[in-house]
């Protein structure tokens, strides 16, 4: 069901239509009971400006803190009480794969955006997406959201992420120093801010493709003015042979599992066929 924002009233202190409304404290307790359900929060935001403001100030923040507590604690550890681009944008980034449209940022294919069931964000993985002299920056990056069999493009992976304190990061300073150009038309799907191309600025390290299990020359990502990252890659196949035995396929899956959780492994490890102990 699509709900259109009404924005009938801002509910100022003198506004009569606040009479009978629930207080912020009661609404907080209701959504706490709902475990900060994002669909319910989004629905409430569409009712009016007062509810939308409450959702942006309180409810999306609690949603983020509940879904990724350690990550949120780290992002706020510099003393800030908010995050770049607002909590609603961060909440959307946690649960939404933006996909791409033809003629957009990644104009070769069309993959509709969609909500994801579960995503792991990793600060350790984020180091692989930074040039060596920028690795004191903090970047959280998700595992790729896999979209298989995309015609000539093969298996496509979309990933997303967020910088901590992007305004003072070395990556931002380098982008400015290199006079990187903002994209003329496209904006961040999470906060609507302008985007820098890391590929155009020649700031995509080889370690990023290894971390993603992707072809080195088929990875591209952008960072917006608020520090949100979104990118695309062409994933390496698990096997060169379509007639691999069940035993060998089990070995390959096990190695890929090791890449996902233990990394960093080199991309060549994906093709290894050495016998491995069975996973229990």
């Amino acid at each position: 069901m699509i709900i259109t924002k009404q924005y009938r009233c801002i509910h100022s202190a003198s506004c009569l239509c606040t009479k009978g409304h629930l207080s912020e404290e009661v609404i907080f307790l209701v959504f706490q009971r709902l475990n900060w359900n994002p669909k319910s929060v989004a629905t409430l935001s569409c009712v009016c400006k007062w509810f939308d403001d409450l959702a942006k100030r309180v409810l999306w923040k609690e949603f983020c803190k509940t879904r990724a507590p350690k990550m949120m604690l780290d992002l706020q550890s510099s003393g800030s009480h908010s995050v770049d681009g607002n909590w609603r944008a961060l909440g959307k980034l946690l649960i939404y794969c933006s996909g791409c449209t033809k003629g957009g940022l990644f104009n070769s294919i069309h993959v509709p955006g969609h909500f994801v069931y579960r995503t792991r964000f990793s600060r350790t993985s984020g180091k692989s997406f930074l040039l060596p002299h920028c690795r004191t920056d903090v970047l959280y990056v998700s595992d790729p959201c896999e979209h298989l069999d995309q015609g000539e493009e093969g298996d496509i992976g979309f990933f997303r992420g967020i910088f901590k304190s992007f305004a003072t990061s070395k990556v931002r300073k380098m982008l400015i120093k290199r006079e990187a150009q903002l994209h003329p038309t496209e904006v961040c799907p999470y906060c609507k801010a302008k985007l820098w191309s890391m590929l155009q600025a020649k700031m995509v390290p080889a370690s990023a493709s290894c971390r993603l299990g992707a072809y080195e020359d088929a990875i591209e990502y952008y960072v917006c003015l608020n520090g949100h990252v979104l990118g695309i890659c062409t994933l390496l196949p698990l096997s060169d042979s379509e007639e691999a035995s069940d035993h060998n396929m089990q070995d390959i899956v096990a190695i890929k599992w090791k890449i996902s959780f233990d990394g960093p492994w080199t991309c060549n490890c994906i093709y290894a066929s050495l016998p491995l102990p069975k996973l229990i």
Side-chain angles (χ1 to χ4, degrees), residues 18-225:
T18 57
K19 186 176 181 180
H21 276 193
L22 297 175
S23 67
E24 287 192 15
E25 291 78 10
V26 173
I27 294 174
F28 180 93
L29 292 174
V30 169
F31 278 86
Q32 185 180 53
R33 181 69 176 177
L34 294 173
N35 196 26
W36 315 106
N37 183 290
K39 182 178 179 181
S40 299
V41 175
T43 301
L44 183 77
S45 299
C46 295
V47 175
C48 66
K49 281 188 177 292
W50 186 77
F51 284 135
D52 185 52
D53 175 69
L54 174 62
K56 286 191 289 188
R57 285 188 296 105
V58 179
L59 304 183
W60 284 118
K61 178 180 179 180
E62 294 301 323
F63 166 80
C64 294
K65 289 170 63 178
T66 301
R67 295 303 190 275
K70 293 182 179 179
M71 178 177 165
M72 295 306 119
L73 187 63
D74 188 22
L75 291 176
Q76 290 187 280
S77 62
S78 59
S80 172
H81 293 288
S82 63
V83 295
D84 295 340
N86 73 53
W87 289 104
R88 180 169 60 185
L90 182 55
K92 183 177 180 181
L93 184 140
L94 290 179
I95 60 175
Y96 187 75
C97 170
S98 63
C100 64
T101 57
K102 279 194 174 182
L105 287 178
F106 316 111
N107 57 13
S108 58
I109 58 173
H110 174 75
V111 176
H114 62 94
F115 290 97
V116 295
Y117 175 70
R118 181 177 297 166
T119 303
R120 184 185 70 123
F121 283 80
S122 170
R123 174 172 171 165
T124 302
S125 295
K127 298 292 183 185
S128 301
F129 292 79
L130 303 173
L131 294 176
H133 44 288
C134 293
R135 287 181 180 169
T136 53
D137 290 347
V138 175
L139 170 62
Y140 284 87
V141 174
S142 72
D143 291 334
C145 179
E146 297 185 3
H147 296 262
L148 307 181
D149 301 322
Q150 298 297 316
E152 295 181 357
E153 301 297 326
D155 297 341
I156 299 298
F158 292 97
F159 56 95
R160 57 201 190 279
I162 182 171
F163 278 89
K164 175 182 177 181
S165 303
F166 182 67
T168 58
S169 67
K170 290 184 178 180
V171 166
R172 183 178 182 274
K173 291 176 182 177
M174 182 175 291
L175 285 166
I176 294 173
K177 184 177 180 180
R178 295 190 176 189
E179 299 181 348
Q181 299 297 309
L182 294 168
H183 197 285
T185 57
E186 298 297 316
V187 296
C188 175
Y190 302 107
C191 67
K192 308 304 180 185
K194 290 285 188 177
L195 294 157
W196 274 302
S197 170
M198 299 291 279
L199 182 63
Q200 184 186 58
K202 298 180 180 179
M203 294 175 61
V204 180
S207 54
S209 58
C210 290
R211 174 62 68 173
L212 292 166
Y215 291 101
E216 187 173 347
D217 59 348
I219 176 172
E220 182 178 6
Y221 53 97
Y222 290 80
V223 58
C224 79
L225 296 175

Side-chain angles (χ1 to χ4, degrees), residues 213-245:
Y215 291 101
E216 187 173 347
D217 59 348
I219 176 172
E220 182 178 6
Y221 53 97
Y222 290 80
V223 58
C224 79
L225 296 175
N226 288 317
H228 302 134
V229 171
L230 60 152
I232 188 173
C233 63
T234 301
L235 299 170
L236 286 164
L238 291 180
S239 173
D240 286 337
S241 173
E242 295 182 357
E243 298 180 356
S245 66

